[in-house]
Structures are given as structure tokens and as C-alpha cells.
Amino acid sequence: MMRTRPLKVALLGCGVVGSEVARIMTTHADDLAARIGAPVELAGVAVRRPDRVREGIDPALVTTDATALVKRGDIDVVVEVIGGIEPARTLITTAMEHGASVVSANKALLAQDGPALHAVAAGQGRDLYYEAAVAGAIPLIRPLRESLAGDKVNRVLGIVNGTTNFILDAMDSTGAGYQEALDEATALGYAEADPTADVEGFDAAAKAAILAGIAFHTRVRLDDVHREGMTEVTAADFASAKEMGCTIKLLAICERAADGASVTARVHPAMIPLSHPLANVRGAYNAVFVEAEAAGQLMFYGPGAGGAPTASAVLGDLVAVCRNRLGGGRGPGESAYAALPVSPMGEVVTRYHISLDVADKPGVLAQVATVFAEHGVSIDTVRQSGKDGEASLVVVTHRASDAALGGTVEALRKLDTVRGVASIMRVEGE
Amino acid sequence: MMRTRPLKVALLGCGVVGSEVARIMTTHADDLAARIGAPVELAGVAVRRPDRVREGIDPALVTTDATALVKRGDIDVVVEVIGGIEPARTLITTAMEHGASVVSANKALLAQDGPALHAVAAGQGRDLYYEAAVAGAIPLIRPLRESLAGDKVNRVLGIVNGTTNFILDAMDSTGAGYQEALDEATALGYAEADPTADVEGFDAAAKAAILAGIAFHTRVRLDDVHREGMTEVTAADFASAKEMGCTIKLLAICERAADGASVTARVHPAMIPLSHPLANVRGAYNAVFVEAEAAGQLMFYGPGAGGAPTASAVLGDLVAVCRNRLGGGRGPGESAYAALPVSPMGEVVTRYHISLDVADKPGVLAQVATVFAEHGVSIDTVRQSGKDGEASLVVVTHRASDAALGGTVEALRKLDTVRGVASIMRVEGE
Ligand SMILES: NC(=O)c1ccc[n+]([C@@H]2O[C@H](COP(=O)([O-])OP(=O)(O)OC[C@H]3O[C@@H](n4cnc5c(N)ncnc54)[C@H](OP(=O)(O)O)[C@@H]3O)[C@@H](O)[C@H]2O)c1
Ligand SMILES: NC(=O)c1ccc[n+]([C@@H]2O[C@H](COP(=O)([O-])OP(=O)(O)OC[C@H]3O[C@@H](n4cnc5c(N)ncnc54)[C@H](OP(=O)(O)O)[C@@H]3O)[C@@H](O)[C@H]2O)c1
């Protein structure tokens, strides 16, 4: 069964993820060989700083010339764990043009250039795998692409960013404000020095684009994903959520419209009921809920980042790609045949929790209710409370479009009796 | 891309699962064709009772001669959803010998004869897929076999039987006894008229054997799986569990020993902390926790049975197998290279919750504690309570081997002051 000529792997990048990939390839070489049917050999490691000490890696393998490495022609698989758009994109393309299959963990690149890279892979008859790009160690791309290949996915609802989940979980459990929780996350290494990509939802939006594309067999561009960060979530929002039996999570939501003819993808903070399995996802963990027509509700849970977990996903792809090379097959490529239109945010239908500061006088509720009715937004519950001459109204709506809600809020702001719109939050997972 | 000659599928069995497979193949034919790259055609349906009305199925396709169907020679894929050992085993074997790849949902057969069937598949160069055999719609076999192929799985801990989870959940939430909860499950269609296979743990044991085999790259026979049913779990056990902040689940547990040199597989009721994600798995849902060296803790959750969910898993396999036929590759076959010894139950190490009825006189606790110490079982906590001259002792141990615990209990029973051992339950998931 076992052939002796090893499969040659080039590692591009040897940082948090790459160093773990190299470590596992070395320490578990026998297991990998048995599972693949041939030994795998680390044939080269491209980095930026060649003189850094890299434990367990033969210095003779280290190079700063990644381009020469991927052009060598004898490389079977290139593992790209550099990150970012360039030089990763050119290196991956060049690698495939020179006969290699590619495993990548690069969500930013896949979300931006997935179709182009898939086209190169298809043209060259090579594999392009990227399980690690979404939700780290959690098997998600493969289940969506393969296990659910005979089903119709209607919704993907997930916590796909560990940094923001850590922050929101801390706010929920300690009552801390956003800045305080962010500082704690930074101190503990859960947030980067510049947390923008995480807290503004860019990272989650890239993952949403990738997930929506696979789930709906439709190309979803990064620009198609509506994105709101979580920097404006307040302790008061958590208090309101608790009163409703909810918590707040930053969610990536990919949905097929009720009529099946279009899809949407969005990232924003939202209230979800404590009874929802996603509500109990703590700390930096990730979890993704998938609703499919035949399968029903599935959930996938685990560590969404970190060197070793991400390397686990990379290695799973590496084994698959190596098996394909030996067996002569190819894994599933891009599937975008459905080509459904991606609707703008205005067409998203969901529920809303709106807090208004209002004048404490009779008739205000009637005025407010009229505005909702005029915009076709039906009210589920209203709670009035007055304190110190100020009054507040908390309105929870039935399902309505984002456009209708937007019109409602605009009209509410114009009412003399409405002093301000304290917060608007979507309610999901019901 | 699309070839026009359809791939021919023979369906063996058209009951709860088979009828849903046929329905989805018909209603979603265009999607399946696009995802596979060729249309799939239902070429024949084997059943026992040919005259039954089968909605949506061309009567001309129906036959009672399953053997002739699988021998036709033009069948690309045989889907076996008859169940049981024979004739399913012979039909699957014959099908592969006549050139077909096979998709099956048959846990009983795979647990008993997996290695032999895999050998036929390998010999014939065909695929044998069975995602639906374990935990219904939940992608589990594929993630274990493929996504975690580069990792080292150390433990699989799962709720893999919906009937027993429904019963235990009802006992937990209503305080009902076993019989009452079983009756409710039967009335609601969650338990079969003869629930033996479920409540005695046979069904879960078959799944444990399959999961352990894949997780540890080792053949695990049904006989290797220690099996205890859940018919003796009482309302009093749930009360004890609650006092410990636990609930009770019927778990399938596959573990690698601490030294990595052997594995165990077992099915039994156990207490797990309410904080463990498996504790919140309600009703007939299934969930499986996987611990791997690099990935960390993963969980997979969803409907473990039912016609449509199980058909979703079958269809996912069907698409994969069809893609392999078109692409010329083969999916992963059996991986049993590790060939680790499967240790007997006596070597399993875990914690225990033991309730004793004891005489209400001084010195009893000292006597009992001495017996534990003599058998090398270290006590974590003891709770004494006396009511009406009777007294009870609840002992929770640290981790100890099943053999040591067995010896302890035997010696306890011989003490004059111990009137009886009211219950022994393992404590898992900590
Ligand atoms: N970290 C995670 O938890 C995680 C989780 C999921 C996905 N990912 C993805 O995995 C990828 C890698 O992340 P990471 O955290 O491992 O990043 P990292 O720690 O910053 O490592 C990046 C590596 O790439 C090398 N590199 C940078 N520019 C290069 C160039 N031009 N040519 C050759 N090598 C170059 C660096 O070399 P030096 O060592 O010389 O600096 C370093 O070894 C990213 O796409 C990321 O999004 C990461
Ligand atoms: N039901 C679930 O929720 C579920 C979940 C996971 C896995 N599974 C597995 O899926 C398989 C099928 O289960 P199921 O619930 O669909 O069973 P089922 O409803 O009892 O259906 C069995 C089918 O097989 C046919 N059949 C029986 N003996 C046959 C024979 N000798 N030749 C040809 N056809 C024969 C029956 O024909 P008639 O229609 O003429 O009686 C019936 O169509 C089993 O292996 C089961 O363990 C089921």
C-alpha cells in the first residue's frame, strides 16, 4: 500500500499557525504517512526573517525566496499560512501553475479572490482547500461542501470570531463596558494590538462571504456582506437583553430568502435567546448553526483560532489533498452554479429591539405605535418605564424588513416626543 | 462540465429513510446534477412489499428482487437502507462485486462486518460510505475521517441515541420514572414498540464501535464495547445528580488510554456536569464531543434520526461517491493501521458516584473509607444523611479504574454496616 517516494510539502509562512503545522508534520510523521499512504516531507519553509530561531525546523529548509520555492516544480502541496492578499495570492497562483495543490488558512484572500483562485485550480487540475480559513479547528467547510451536498442549506448563523465573543462574553458575565472588556482581552492575548479587523466585523464578514458562497452555491463577494462592528454595544444593551431572556453575540448570518430566489449575508451584533445553543458559547470559542431543509438544525462548535487548532484544520486538508494526488482524484472545486442574487440589507427580514427616550406625557405610546403601523412594522411587545421625569419605551417588533425598520426609526426621530433612539438591536435565533 | 449520461442509483429499501432519499432525489434532481456534474437517475427500488403505494415512485422501478437489481451491472451506486445483517450484507457485497459503490445507513451491519465490507470495497476499487449510520444528519464520520485526519483524537464522548436521550431528558425535567418516560416516548413515536435495542444500549454500542474504529485507526469489534443500558436509572439517581450539579445521559465513550498504547469503548448512563455542552442536549437530539490533540474540544450537534435528516446524510454520501466515480478517485477506505489493543472495561479510569444504605451508628464512615483506601480508590467527597433510623452515604471518588471500583463495591457489600449499594454511577465530562 505504502509508496516510498515522499510527497513534498512547501510551507509558506512559519508563524503562529505555520510553526504548529511544521511541528505536527514532524512529530506525527508516521501517522500522517499511514493515513495518506505515502510519507510527506517538508521540502522548504518560506519566511520573512530567515535568521529567527525556529525550533524543530532544519535551517537548511528555510528561505526568504517563496517564489523560487513554489516554482521548484517538484512540490506536491503548498501550504500557505502567510496571510493577507499579497504576496499570498501570487504565490498560490504560481504554485498551482507549477503543479502543486494548495492548502490555505487565508480567509481574507479567499473571501476576496476565491473565484479567481478556484478557476486557476480547476484549470490546472489541482486542489485548493481552506478549512482553516473559517472557524479554525471546527470542521465547517467540509461538512457544508460535502456532508450537506445533497441537502438545501437555508441558513448559517454563527459566532465566527473568537476575539469579539471573548469581549461580549466578558461584558455579559461581568457587566463591564466595551473598552474595559477589550482591555482585558488584549491583556490576555485574545485581542491583537490593533483589534479593528475583529471588533469592526471585517474578519467575520470575510468568513460570512466564504460560508454563504459554499452554502448557497453562489458567489458572494465581500462587498455583498452587510457589516456592523460591535464597538457600540453597551452595558445597557446587555441589561436590556437580560430583561428579554437574551444575550448579545456578534453573528455572521447567511440566509436564503423565504421564496428561495435570493440570499443575504451580514455581520452585526444581535440579541439571541439564552435558550439558543449559540448563547452558551463562551470565551473565544466559535460555533456555527446550520439549518438545512432535510437535515434540520445542526451545530458545530470548537476553538475558532490558535496555532494548534488552526494547524489541525490545515493538516486535515493536507492529508486530503495528498490522498487526492496519490489516488488521482480531485476534491470538490468551486460550486457557484446556483448564481442567486445577493439582496441588499434593506431586504433582510428579522425582529428588532428598540429603546427610545421619550417625553413623560400621555399619548406618547399612541404616537410611537402609529409610526410603527404606518411603516408596516408590527409591534410584539412594548415596555414603558419612567424615572426622574424621563421616560423610556422599549419596543420589540415582529419580523420586518430592514428597510421598513429604517423608515420607522427615521420617522420616530422626527417626533417631538421622542428625545432620542438609545439603541436598535436585531433579535435573532428564534 | 456536465456530462449527460446519468449515473444510475439503485435504492435498496424504501421505508422511513429510503422514501425520503427517493423524494429528495426527485425533487432536487437539478441541484444534485449540478453538484455532481452529471444527472443521477433512480434505476430501481427494492422492497419487500411491492404492492404498497409509494408516493412519487414510478411503480415500474419497484422490485422484490434486490439481488437481480444489484447484479444488473449498469448500477453506479447502491444505496442500502434496508437495515439488519442479512440480506443487507450479501446485497452490499454483491453490489460492489458488480461494480457499484455503496452508501449505507446500516450501523448494525457496519459495526459487525465493517472490516470485511471495506476489504471488498478496496479489492473492487469501490467506495463504501456510511455517514448516516452514526448520529443521523450530523456530519461526524466525515469530520473524524477527513477533517481530523491530521490530528490525534484522544476521546469521543457522545449522545448517539435519540430515544434514550428523549427518555432521560423527560425524567430530568419532569421527575418521571423510567417506565413513565418510556411510555411517553412510545406514545410520541420516539421509541419503537420493542425499545430493547435503544434502552439496552445496543444501538449506541454499534455506533461506539464504528466511531472508535475511525477515531483511533484501529478495529474495534462490537464485543469490545462495554455496554450497560439505562433501564435501571431512577428518579432518585436524577435527584442525586441534581445535588451534584449534574444530569444523567446515556453516553458512548471512546477513549485512548493516558499512555496512548490502548483504547476503550463503552456505553453506559453517566452523570455529567450541567456546565458540559452535552448536558444541554434536549429531547431526541444527538451530540458528539470530540477531543483531539491539536484541535482541542469540538462538538457536533443535530438530529440523530428521522427520515429526512438521515436521508440528508445518505444524499451527502451519494454526491461524494458519484463525484468520485466521475473524477476517477476513491474516498478514504478503512484505516486500521494503528491496530491498538482494545482494553477491557476493568482498565477504564473514571470517577464514580456511589450511594450506600448504611446502619445509623458511629464508625460506619471510618469503615467505609477504609475499604475505599484498601482498594486504592481515593474519595473526593462524602455526604452522610440520616432519616428514620436509616442512614445513607453518598461517596464521590477521584479517578480510579473500573476494576478497583468493582473490588471496592464487592468489599463494601460484605460489611455488616452496609445494608445495600443503592446505586453506582460513573461521572464523566469533567
Ligand atoms: N493565528 C490564528 O489563530 C489563525 C486562525 C485561523 C486562520 N489564521 C490564518 O492563518 C494565516 C497565518 O496566520 P498566523 O497567525 O500564523 O500569522 P503570523 O504568526 O503573523 O505568521 C505569518 C508568517 O508568514 C511569514 N511571512 C510574512 N510575510 C512573508 C513573505 N512575504 N514571504 C514569506 N513569508 C512571509 C512570517 O515570517 P516571519 O516568521 O519571518 O515573520 C511568518 O512566519 C493567516 O491567513 C491567518 O488569517 C490564523
Ligand atoms: N429511521 C431512522 O431514523 C434511521 C436513522 C439512522 C439510520 N437508520 C438506518 O437506516 C436503515 C433503514 O431504516 P428505516 O427506518 O428506513 O427502516 P424501515 O422503515 O423499516 O424500511 C426498511 C425498508 O427495507 C425494505 N426491506 C426489508 N427487507 C427487505 C428485503 N429483504 N429486500 C428488499 N427490501 C427489504 C422494506 O420494504 P417494505 O417497504 O416493503 O416493508 C422497507 O422499505 C437501517 O439500517 C437503520 O438502522 C434509520
Side-chain angles (χ1 to χ4, degrees):
Chain A
M1 291 287 286
M2 180 82 72
R3 74 171 204 174
T4 46
R5 185 179 88 63
L7 290 158
K8 293 193 179 169
V9 176
L11 187 59
L12 309 185
C14 193
V16 174
V17 178
S19 59
E20 283 294 315
V21 171
R23 187 187 61 75
I24 297 173
M25 281 185 66
T26 310
T27 55
H28 290 34
D30 291 348
D31 282 311
L32 292 172
R35 296 174 191 181
I36 289 167
V40 277
E41 173 188 304
L42 196 54
V45 181
V47 299
R48 219 170 10 184
R49 295 167 294 174
D51 300 329
R52 258 191 118 186
V53 177
R54 305 193 190 254
E55 209 191 323
I57 292 181
D58 179 355
L61 295 178
V62 174
T63 173
T64 53
D65 194 346
T67 306
L69 181 58
V70 301
K71 281 185 172 171
R72 259 171 58 170
D74 66 337
I75 302 295
D76 294 286
V77 185
V78 167
V79 173
E80 183 275 306
V81 279
I82 292 175
I85 303 303
E86 284 296 354
R89 176 172 54 192
T90 303
L91 290 170
I92 288 177
T93 306
T94 309
M96 292 193 288
E97 287 167 354
H98 286 76
S101 287
V102 170
V103 175
S104 172
N106 194 330
K107 57 217 129 193
L109 178 58
L110 266 300
Q112 180 180 307
D113 290 313
L117 294 172
H118 272 297
V120 177
Q124 301 289 333
R126 298 300 164 201
D127 278 328
L128 173 63
Y129 277 48
Y130 44 91
E131 180 67 75
V134 182
I138 310 175
L140 199 56
I141 306 266
R142 184 175 279 102
L144 275 177
R145 201 199 283 284
E146 304 186 39
S147 307
L148 291 166
D151 207 333
K152 184 176 179 186
V153 176
N154 287 322
R155 181 192 282 201
V156 178
L157 184 77
I159 297 168
V160 294
N161 182 276
T163 302
T164 48
N165 200 58
F166 184 92
I167 296 170
L168 291 169
D169 189 19
M171 291 175 73
D172 187 36
S173 50
T174 68
Y178 164 69
Q179 190 59 47
E180 194 186 333
L182 171 62
D183 291 345
E184 191 200 346
T186 311
L188 293 172
Y190 286 110
E192 294 185 37
D194 176 1
T196 311
D198 295 317
V199 301
E200 294 296 353
F202 291 101
D203 175 80
K207 293 164 178 170
I210 295 172
L211 290 176
I214 295 172
F216 304 134
H217 300 267
T218 286
R219 284 187 185 164
V220 177
R221 291 172 307 118
L222 204 42
D223 287 351
D224 294 328
V225 182
H226 174 84
R227 180 191 52 75
E228 295 172 31
M230 46 72 72
T231 59
E232 321 227 307
V233 176
T234 63
D237 290 329
F238 272 101
S240 302
K242 281 213 174 101
E243 279 172 23
M244 283 187 62
C246 285
T247 186
I248 298 171
K249 296 290 187 188
L250 183 72
L251 298 178
I253 306 175
C254 313
E255 281 177 324
R256 194 187 289 278
D259 67 0
S262 65
V263 299
T264 53
R266 54 195 162 112
V267 168
H268 55 69
M271 293 186 183
I272 53 166
L274 292 175
S275 59
H276 194 284
L278 289 180
N280 294 306
V281 176
R282 300 266 162 248
Y285 272 84
N286 282 193
V288 177
F289 218 71
V290 177
E291 289 180 25
E293 191 178 84
Q297 300 191 319
L298 304 172
M299 191 174 75
F300 304 83
Y301 166 96
T310 308
S312 171
V314 168
L315 267 291
D317 279 355
L318 179 67
V319 170
V321 164
C322 286
R323 281 175 179 163
N324 289 345
R325 284 188 84 91
L326 291 181
R330 258 190 80 217
E334 187 189 26
S335 176
Y337 73 91
L340 296 168
V342 185
S343 301
M345 188 62 191
E347 291 178 27
V348 165
V349 173
T350 188
R351 297 178 61 202
Y352 307 87
H353 176 284
I354 303 128
S355 299
L356 303 172
D357 295 326
V358 295
D360 193 3
K361 55 183 179 184
V364 175
L365 176 54
Q367 266 192 325
V368 166
T370 304
V371 170
F372 276 88
E374 281 169 359
H375 290 82
V377 179
S378 155
I379 292 176
D380 180 16
T381 58
V382 183
R383 209 173 53 244
Q384 290 197 70
S385 62
K387 36 168 198 204
D388 314 328
E390 290 272 306
S392 77
L393 267 187
V394 172
V395 179
V396 180
T397 74
H398 287 295
R399 287 167 60 79
S401 75
D402 196 82
L405 195 276
T408 308
V409 169
E410 205 173 310
L412 287 171
R413 285 190 208 274
K414 291 190 186 134
L415 291 181
D416 288 346
T417 50
V418 170
R419 303 221 172 109
V421 179
S423 86
I424 306 169
M425 193 154 313
R426 299 180 185 88
V427 184
E428 305 285 342
E430 292 179 308
Chain B
M1 290 290 285
M2 180 81 73
R3 73 171 205 177
T4 46
R5 185 181 86 66
L7 288 158
K8 293 193 180 169
V9 176
L11 187 59
L12 309 185
C14 194
V16 174
V17 178
S19 60
E20 283 295 314
V21 171
R23 185 187 62 75
I24 296 173
M25 281 184 65
T26 311
T27 54
H28 290 36
D30 291 347
D31 282 311
L32 292 172
R35 296 175 192 182
I36 290 167
V40 276
E41 174 190 302
L42 196 55
V45 181
V47 297
R48 219 170 11 186
R49 295 166 294 174
D51 300 329
R52 260 190 116 186
V53 176
R54 304 191 191 256
E55 208 191 321
I57 292 182
D58 179 355
L61 296 178
V62 175
T63 173
T64 54
D65 194 346
T67 306
L69 180 58
V70 301
K71 282 185 172 172
R72 258 172 57 172
D74 66 335
I75 302 296
D76 293 286
V77 185
V78 167
V79 174
E80 183 275 308
V81 279
I82 292 176
I85 305 301
E86 285 294 354
R89 176 172 53 191
T90 303
L91 289 169
I92 287 177
T93 306
T94 308
M96 292 193 288
E97 287 167 355
H98 286 77
S101 287
V102 170
V103 175
S104 172
N106 195 330
K107 56 215 127 188
L109 178 59
L110 265 300
Q112 180 179 308
D113 291 313
L117 294 172
H118 273 297
V120 177
Q124 301 289 332
R126 298 300 165 201
D127 278 327
L128 172 62
Y129 276 48
Y130 44 92
E131 180 67 74
V134 181
I138 310 174
L140 198 57
I141 305 266
R142 183 174 280 101
L144 275 176
R145 202 199 283 284
E146 304 186 39
S147 307
L148 291 166
D151 208 332
K152 183 176 178 187
V153 176
N154 287 321
R155 183 192 278 201
V156 178
L157 184 76
I159 296 168
V160 293
N161 181 276
T163 303
T164 49
N165 200 58
F166 183 92
I167 294 170
L168 290 169
D169 189 20
M171 290 174 73
D172 187 36
S173 50
T174 67
Y178 165 69
Q179 190 59 49
E180 195 186 330
L182 171 61
D183 291 346
E184 191 200 345
T186 311
L188 293 172
Y190 286 110
E192 293 186 37
D194 176 1
T196 311
D198 295 317
V199 300
E200 294 296 353
F202 290 101
D203 175 80
K207 292 164 179 170
I210 295 171
L211 290 176
I214 295 173
F216 303 134
H217 301 268
T218 286
R219 283 185 186 166
V220 177
R221 291 171 307 119
L222 204 42
D223 287 352
D224 294 328
V225 182
H226 174 84
R227 178 191 54 73
E228 295 171 33
M230 45 72 72
T231 59
E232 322 226 306
V233 176
T234 63
D237 291 329
F238 272 101
S240 303
K242 281 213 173 105
E243 279 172 23
M244 284 188 60
C246 285
T247 186
I248 298 171
K249 296 291 187 187
L250 183 73
L251 298 179
I253 306 175
C254 313
E255 280 177 325
R256 193 188 289 277
D259 67 0
S262 64
V263 299
T264 53
R266 54 196 162 112
V267 167
H268 55 71
M271 293 186 183
I272 54 167
L274 292 175
S275 58
H276 195 283
L278 290 181
N280 294 308
V281 176
R282 301 263 162 250
Y285 271 84
N286 282 195
V288 177
F289 217 72
V290 177
E291 288 179 25
E293 192 178 84
Q297 301 192 320
L298 305 171
M299 191 174 76
F300 304 83
Y301 166 96
T310 308
S312 171
V314 168
L315 268 289
D317 280 353
L318 179 68
V319 170
V321 163
C322 287
R323 281 175 180 165
N324 288 344
R325 286 187 82 92
L326 292 182
R330 258 191 81 215
E334 187 190 25
S335 176
Y337 73 91
L340 295 169
V342 186
S343 301
M345 188 62 189
E347 291 179 26
V348 165
V349 172
T350 187
R351 296 178 63 202
Y352 306 86
H353 176 285
I354 303 129
S355 298
L356 304 172
D357 294 328
V358 296
D360 193 2
K361 56 182 178 186
V364 174
L365 176 54
Q367 265 191 325
V368 165
T370 303
V371 170
F372 276 87
E374 281 169 359
H375 290 83
V377 179
S378 153
I379 292 176
D380 181 15
T381 58
V382 183
R383 211 173 51 244
Q384 291 196 68
S385 62
K387 36 167 199 210
D388 314 330
E390 292 269 308
S392 76
L393 268 187
V394 173
V395 179
V396 180
T397 73
H398 286 297
R399 287 166 61 77
S401 74
D402 197 82
L405 195 276
T408 309
V409 169
E410 206 173 308
L412 287 172
R413 285 192 209 275
K414 290 190 186 134
L415 292 181
D416 287 348
T417 48
V418 171
R419 304 221 170 109
V421 179
S423 85
I424 306 170
M425 193 155 309
R426 297 181 187 88
V427 184
E428 306 284 344
E430 293 180 307

